[in-house]
Amino acid sequence: MNEIDETILQPAPAAEEPATDIYDEDGYVRSNFLMLVGAAIADRDVLFLRQNVARLHESELGDLLEAIQPEQRIALINLLGEDFDLTALTEVDEGIRLQIVEQLSNDTIAAAIGDLDSDDAVYILEDLDQVDRDEILSKLSFTERVRLSRALDYPESSAGRRMQTEFVAVPPFWTIGQTIDYLRDEENLPESFSQIFVIDPTFKLLGAVDLDKVLRTPRLGKIEAIMRETNHPIPAEMDQEEAAQLFEQYDLLSAAVVDENGRLVGILTIDDVVDVIQEEAEEDLMRLGGVGDEELSDSVRATTRSRVPWLGVNLLTAFLAASVIGLFDATIEKIVALAVLMPIVAGMGGNAASQTMTVTVRALATRDIDIHNAWRIIRREAGVGLINGMLFGVLIGVVAGVWFDNINLGGIIAVAMLINMMAAAIAGILIPLLLDRFGADPAVASTVFVTTVTDVCGFFSFLGLATWWFAIS
Amino acid sequence: MNEIDETILQPAPAAEEPATDIYDEDGYVRSNFLMLVGAAIADRDVLFLRQNVARLHESELGDLLEAIQPEQRIALINLLGEDFDLTALTEVDEGIRLQIVEQLSNDTIAAAIGDLDSDDAVYILEDLDQVDRDEILSKLSFTERVRLSRALDYPESSAGRRMQTEFVAVPPFWTIGQTIDYLRDEENLPESFSQIFVIDPTFKLLGAVDLDKVLRTPRLGKIEAIMRETNHPIPAEMDQEEAAQLFEQYDLLSAAVVDENGRLVGILTIDDVVDVIQEEAEEDLMRLGGVGDEELSDSVRATTRSRVPWLGVNLLTAFLAASVIGLFDATIEKIVALAVLMPIVAGMGGNAASQTMTVTVRALATRDIDIHNAWRIIRREAGVGLINGMLFGVLIGVVAGVWFDNINLGGIIAVAMLINMMAAAIAGILIPLLLDRFGADPAVASTVFVTTVTDVCGFFSFLGLATWWFAIS
């Protein structure tokens, strides 16, 4: 694989050429490089672009495309023409990719897409609407077309969509010598491969052979003698996230993809799923923050639309909390200090809860915890809540008591804080667990429920206690 | 690599054996399997454990160790003895690993660690204190000891620590035939390898050859003719996170690790860094949630210690917000509805801000945004804030006006909401950007600052407007 091309040391002098690194020390594309490219695009300086842009690695080219102005992107691609590596489009934001692909003519895409690995080609084609997609496919060679449509026929974000359909396969009865001779003579092989698959005449997968085993076995040795089987097939229909989890679980570098009949249809490599693995972790972050799958390239309109629902839900719960305060307006009218202090009780509870919640949501995602084995963690969180509650209860009690020169007030807020910290701990762990148990995504819904609990409980315990105390005293 | 062992389809019947999957449909270790293992440990049923536990994949064994009781872990390892694959320890929580390693005798560890890949061995050894580590090393064969200490001499969490020190290297003037014969005859080679490195007599790295190229070149061809160079060496001192970013950036599967003189010292493979890549994304999640690098296995004490500082900071800011309310206690005394409604203004601002902040922090982590290219995003967020502010301002204004039958109150809260939503948007993006600009970790500090802004601004705008309005009217 051409990933391997990248793995070795460039002799020191070459490494010093400024051209070899387009990034500044912070890892962003150098602004002076951006200026040069921008100027070259404006001047239609194809020579400069060929020399300095065409030679970039696909991911560098992708970063460049994201960094320049939208209108410059198409101009750059058209100026480079043949020399533009379409693979770069697999490295940019979906929004940007769509915007570019829509502006490129189907002929341009068809001409370029033949050179791509099938997985990259599919990655780009699957975003297009049916009509354009079919037109582009119709312009490809028969084998190319068959290869790509086979992958495109699998459901979206399935292993079949992500797989590479180029691979080397031999029958089990071949000798090592036969195999090596075949590899030396055969023209029509994938550009690079890290293992040889073993199949029967019906293409049913029997096993695989690592290349190092081939190299270390005498010419007369049989393939079937050194071939390996395993328990981890990737059905082409399997969701890419499940496939990614298999890769994680078993530290796979690559896996054979098989159809429902166990026939070899392609190969999935870790670089195809490592992005999936990352998105997994990122998803939780975004959801806990109350944002959907939005991208930086999204418009104001799209962004607003994706955020309004969440804010709407929060508004409802905010009114719920407010109405709890409303129950005690008489008390607040008498002791306005309560109004001053009550946000502290609610806020501290909210923060404590979000700590517990974050840990729980992450643990659920990594499958380190579930409703069955949760008791130890629940006990721990309750313990932490108790300690923090007492700690900060006393702290706030003293400060509040001194501030308003009212010892009772200090005692009341201290108790309220303890109660709310306990509630926060329990809610912070139980709510995500229950949501997960009932098939909801804990990352999406937890925050709303949890903060509602801590707000309501915080206001109620504090104001309720105060009302009760000052009534009886 | 034995990752590859795992990549092929098991014939259907075999796949159906229950024994082949220890996980339930949710991906947790089956509780009945846990019971069987627990019983076998209690009965010292070594046979059962050999047949059902020893054969597990290292990561399955790791999950099992995490799932059983602490006291069972050591018992299990001692019962399995030679048959326990120490590699499993690289798959468990650091807390659990330490607890296990501390209880194992140095002899046990020394006996087992020789069989591990050097990177796994180092992973386990680096957690031990100097004394134990040296004693264990002293029990190893000379070559083993040299190999491991070389890696251990590099700084913690550096590429040198993560690298594998077993690799195949040949001189550039060898022919393919010579190389293949060497691979066939040489006994002392790594168990598996995916590329052959090319070095000069001083071990300086000249390049590498992919195995498929070796297989496709005639015997008389020269190594130097098919060898490759690249711009992406991994200096052994490089931090593992930097190395991980290189792997991501260039879709590397493996990379040569070189010392300061460009000499080949080891090889880094993606499975060594994929965990690092994940932790990267996870870190932001945990930090935004106000929790440090805590683990589920941490004690109540450790957990509390890690969370108290964050809550303490929030307490200070909470008092700041409270004191802002204190400024207007006279107004609240007159119109208690203000106390009821003010948390809504502050809360909505907080939520809107955390949406913007989450996106910004993530964009900073993935280097999609920085202080220089941020203007487009800032404009977008301001726009979103404006729209949401007007939308929810009107909404709240109407509800509040009706609720308290006070049109002025409705108008005041509407304006206050608009102001706070704008403040939230600006703070949500500028604060992380500035923190990043000044070298602080935006994920850690942003939440405090941002919520402080939205609380203070929310209370001040709402109560201030009310005070001013009812003073003049």
Side-chain angles (χ1 to χ4, degrees), chain A residues 3-5 7 10 230 251 254, chain B residues 3 5 7-8 230 251 254:
Chain A
E3 293 83 5
I4 306 288
D5 315 356
T7 58
Q10 183 84 295
T230 110
D251 295 342
S254 67
Chain B
E3 293 84 3
D5 313 357
T7 58
I8 313 307
T230 110
D251 295 341
S254 67

Side-chain angles (χ1 to χ4, degrees), chain B residues 81-141:
Chain B
E82 288 291 287
D83 299 333
F84 177 79
D85 177 3
L86 218 60
T87 316
L89 294 186
T90 64
E91 305 274 346
V92 302
D93 252 14
E94 188 181 9
I96 297 177
R97 179 166 56 251
L98 282 172
Q99 171 231 32
I100 292 176
V101 172
E102 276 158 14
Q103 291 182 57
L104 290 176
S105 77
N106 287 344
D107 295 303
T108 322
I109 299 177
I113 213 145
D115 311 337
L116 302 189
D117 288 340
S118 58
D119 54 342
D120 295 328
V122 168
Y123 196 79
I124 292 171
L125 285 175
E126 66 183 355
D127 288 340
L128 296 171
D129 56 56
Q130 198 58 45
V131 186
D132 291 334
R133 188 193 293 175
D134 294 342
E135 189 187 339
I136 293 171
L137 284 175
S138 69
K139 296 175 190 293
L140 299 176
S141 73

Side-chain angles (χ1 to χ4, degrees), chain A residues 140-190:
Chain A
L140 299 177
S141 73
F142 174 75
T143 49
E144 262 306 318
R145 184 160 65 249
V146 172
R147 179 167 282 172
L148 294 183
S149 18
R150 184 204 278 161
L152 283 163
D153 288 344
Y154 287 109
E156 214 173 312
S157 75
S158 66
R161 279 286 181 95
R162 295 281 76 79
M163 73 186 177
Q164 205 168 325
T165 48
E166 301 92 359
F167 51 79
V168 179
V170 302
F173 50 82
W174 274 19
T175 64
I176 303 301
Q178 267 175 299
T179 310
I180 294 184
D181 296 340
Y182 163 76
L183 294 175
R184 285 184 181 151
D185 307 337
E186 174 62 44
E187 286 310 310
N188 184 11
L189 287 178

